[in-house]
Amino acid sequence: MSTLIQTETQSPLFSEVIRGRRSVRQYDKSVRLSREQIKELLSEATLAPSSSNIQPWRFLIIDTEELKEQLQPIAYNQSQISEAAAVIVVLGDTEGYYKADQIYGEAAVRGYMPEETAKTFAERTKSIYGSLPKEALHKIIYTDGGLVSQQLMLVARAHGYDTVPMGGYDAAKLQAAFEISERYIPIMLIALGKAAKPGHPTTRLPIDDIAYFNEMPAAE
Ligand SMILES: Cc1cc2nc3c(=O)[nH]c(=O)nc-3n(C[C@H](O)[C@H](O)[C@H](O)COP(=O)(O)O)c2cc1C
């Protein structure tokens, strides 16, 4: 059963969630999320799709004042790092495909596919991913990492919390400071908490400038 504290009595409409999400850079320092709450948000976020369902995302959750202070200069002193309840380092596991046995095995246990099919899928997945050039593997991992990150931000908003994704950090320093092995690729940081000030409105390109039916325009 969900233990998340809903700020709304009813679940917000999906349109309110996607229109209400904004990058929030000022947080109410008095609002903290429990580790259980953060794990529940992550559980919903990880319902995101991933290539071959390999789910290569991993999350390093920084929720102590001391470690957030350590992270702040690595993220070019962005104030949301220390103000937010937690900062989630979204990582991609370059060896995540080894979990294919566990993933497909569980699907077989649940009756989603026959055991033999699960074994074949797992072997094939490990063989394909294991022989990919580094660049191709990383592209898949970044794509999956982006999908789960966006889902996490929407899930957080749906539960009344705010986020900001951050690419502004020194990845090498992050890996060194938090002893993150090279096996894991940093994808982005996501600050999570409750807004003290709403994110500022932003514009979007008109859809007719970016969407084309059936044929792309010639390059200018
Ligand atoms: C990959 C990525 C990296 C970003 N890096 C930062 C960052 O380092 N610091 C920051 O304040 N905002 C960062 N942003 C937030 C964007 O500025 C923001 O999403 C954009 O201006 C649109 O605003 P909105 O999120 O409120 O719709 C980043 C967004 C993305 C998707």
Side-chain angles (χ1 to χ4, degrees):
M1 206 177 85
S2 174
T3 55
L4 274 180
I5 299 158
Q6 294 261 353
T7 50
E8 290 85 2
T9 47
Q10 288 183 320
S11 297
L13 290 174
F14 184 66
S15 61
E16 290 169 5
V17 173
I18 55 170
R19 287 172 203 283
R21 185 213 58 80
R22 279 184 186 167
S23 288
V24 164
R25 298 178 178 89
Q26 281 161 290
Y27 287 87
D28 181 342
K29 288 177 95 166
S30 68
V31 177
R32 291 291 172 258
L33 284 88
S34 71
R35 292 184 175 180
E36 275 313 305
Q37 285 178 304
I38 293 173
K39 284 199 281 183
E40 282 195 45
L41 295 178
L42 288 171
S43 295
E44 289 189 8
T46 57
L47 297 175
S50 63
S51 179
S52 299
N53 197 24
I54 284 304
Q55 308 159 51
W57 41 64
R58 305 290 179 263
F59 307 98
L60 174 65
I61 302 139
I62 310 292
D63 70 346
T64 70
E65 299 311 313
E66 190 194 338
L67 289 179
K68 280 188 283 171
E69 262 171 42
Q70 202 181 328
L71 180 58
Q72 190 145 348
I74 294 169
Y76 309 122
N77 286 314
Q78 299 192 61
S79 59
Q80 57 261 30
I81 298 281
S82 56
E83 284 182 10
V87 178
I88 297 171
V89 183
V90 182
L91 299 162
D93 185 354
T94 59
E95 294 177 17
Y97 58 88
Y98 285 119
K99 288 200 186 287
D101 294 311
Q102 183 185 345
I103 292 163
Y104 291 118
E106 177 67 17
V109 168
R110 290 179 184 227
Y112 301 161
M113 62 172 69
E115 206 178 317
E116 270 318 299
T117 312
K119 279 191 182 140
T120 311
F121 274 21
E123 287 313 312
R124 201 172 57 196
T125 303
K126 285 187 290 180
S127 157
I128 292 171
Y129 283 71
S131 57
L132 282 176
K134 189 176 160 191
E135 199 181 311
L137 182 65
H138 283 206
K139 187 177 159 198
I140 291 170
I141 291 171
Y142 281 119
T143 303
D144 293 343
L147 289 169
V148 81
S149 296
Q150 177 60 18
Q151 183 125 314
L152 175 59
M153 292 186 276
L154 293 179
V155 164
R157 180 84 292 274
H159 289 286
Y161 294 104
D162 299 289
T163 56
V164 57
M166 285 170 281
Y169 60 92
D170 185 320
K173 284 186 183 160
L174 173 81
Q175 296 211 237
F178 291 89
E179 296 179 6
I180 301 169
S181 134
E182 285 192 2
R183 167 177 163 176
Y184 302 102
I185 317 169
I187 291 170
M188 70 180 77
L189 309 180
I190 300 179
L192 168 68
K194 186 96 181 162
K197 229 182 119 187
H200 57 79
T202 53
T203 58
R204 292 297 185 266
L205 293 168
I207 205 67
D208 285 335
D209 289 3
I210 56 169
Y212 312 96
F213 286 91
N214 303 323
E215 197 182 353
M216 287 300 287
E220 283 168 22

